[in-house]
Amino acid sequence: MTDSTIAVLDIDGTLIDSNYQNALAWYRALRSVGETCPVWRLHRLIGMGGDQVVSAVGGEDLERRVGDRAREQQGKEVDALLDEMAPLPGARDLLTAIKERGHRLVLASSAKKRHVDVFLDKLDARGLADAWTTVDDVEASKPAPDLLQVALKKLGAPSDAASVMVGDSVWDIEAAKKAGMPAIALRSGGFGTDELRKAGAIAIYDTPGDVAKALDDTPLA
């Protein structure tokens, strides 16, 4: 089993339907510190780590002025929306199918620990995942590759171990590319098929359940 391909799965937007709630949380958080950014622009950044969103919105000056306050408030806004977030169709089926095939499974999230804990419970995934990550595990999150590299380290695997990433944003795919992992993409992040393919996705599906049904056509066969 230790030589089998490792499955590295994003949580937000890939297993849990949370991207649009996260975009709204960022909108409200930025408004609370005197900045307004259209929600559609924020949506385009979801999947990027929270440590990078503020600078992506307004540059390093905005990050210096309000970054920490905005992130703290964004976490509180997400707290208020957790009940509205639910597993995407077939999310747990995908986790089960991966484990039934003998693969190691790590959930790679840059979310706060308290949010990851909620998501793990929503997915009933604690008995399935071999490990998981939170924002506390890295200094730089996606599209940097650090999160995926830490995910492998949590399993005691080398950085060049056979692995495949499943994500829902171009940021996931870019991180996977930098980490040397092939990436399977879901459309649940709201990115277009052409964007995901251009970013480097090796396959694209609508839902986690669709990936579960097509595992024979992936590196997780």
Side-chain angles (χ1 to χ4, degrees):
M1 182 181 295
T2 56
D3 293 327
S4 65
T5 300
I6 297 170
V8 182
L9 273 64
D10 174 55
I11 298 179
D12 267 312
T14 299
L15 298 173
I16 298 290
D17 191 6
S18 59
N19 281 14
Y20 295 93
Q21 291 93 333
N22 270 300
L24 183 58
W26 273 114
Y27 175 79
R28 292 172 175 169
L30 288 167
R31 285 287 296 270
S32 77
V33 295
E35 299 290 330
T36 299
C37 181
V39 178
W40 74 268
R41 290 191 181 277
L42 291 166
H43 167 254
R44 303 291 297 170
L45 302 177
I46 301 304
M48 180 182 287
D51 58 312
Q52 303 191 47
V53 169
V54 178
S55 59
V57 167
E60 291 306 316
D61 178 64
L62 185 65
E63 167 60 33
R64 283 192 296 271
R65 289 192 290 111
V66 305
D68 289 341
R69 285 190 291 144
R71 275 184 290 277
E72 182 178 1
Q73 184 61 35
Q74 196 266 351
K76 294 177 181 177
E77 298 291 349
V78 170
D79 290 342
L81 293 168
L82 286 172
D83 285 345
E84 298 180 22
M85 300 178 189
L88 284 156
R92 197 171 190 284
D93 292 341
L94 176 57
L95 303 184
T96 301
I98 288 170
K99 292 300 294 182
E100 286 178 346
R101 289 172 184 244
H103 299 290
R104 286 175 288 171
L105 168 66
V106 57
L107 305 182
S109 174
S110 57
K112 294 176 173 59
K113 181 182 182 301
R114 68 181 186 271
H115 298 156
V116 172
D117 284 340
V118 171
F119 297 150
L120 291 172
D121 289 341
K122 286 178 181 285
L123 292 162
D124 192 18
R126 294 178 190 275
L128 290 173
D130 295 288
W132 50 84
T133 69
T134 74
V135 68
D136 296 329
D137 293 317
V138 293
E139 292 185 6
S141 56
K142 294 176 284 190
D146 305 32
L147 195 70
L148 307 186
Q149 293 166 342
V150 167
L152 295 181
K153 287 180 182 178
K154 288 209 169 211
L155 298 183
S159 59
D160 61 350
S163 54
V164 61
M165 199 258 179
V166 182
D168 66 286
S169 73
V170 295
W171 315 114
D172 290 324
I173 299 167
E174 288 183 18
K177 187 186 302 182
K178 292 173 184 175
M181 294 182 190
I184 295 169
L186 297 182
R187 296 184 181 89
S188 51
F191 288 89
T193 298
D194 55 339
E195 295 175 288
L196 297 169
R197 185 170 290 118
K198 183 177 180 181
I202 62 170
I204 302 169
Y205 301 92
D206 284 344
T207 71
D210 293 331
V211 181
K213 294 174 184 175
L215 278 185
D216 285 342
D217 299 322
T218 76
L220 295 169

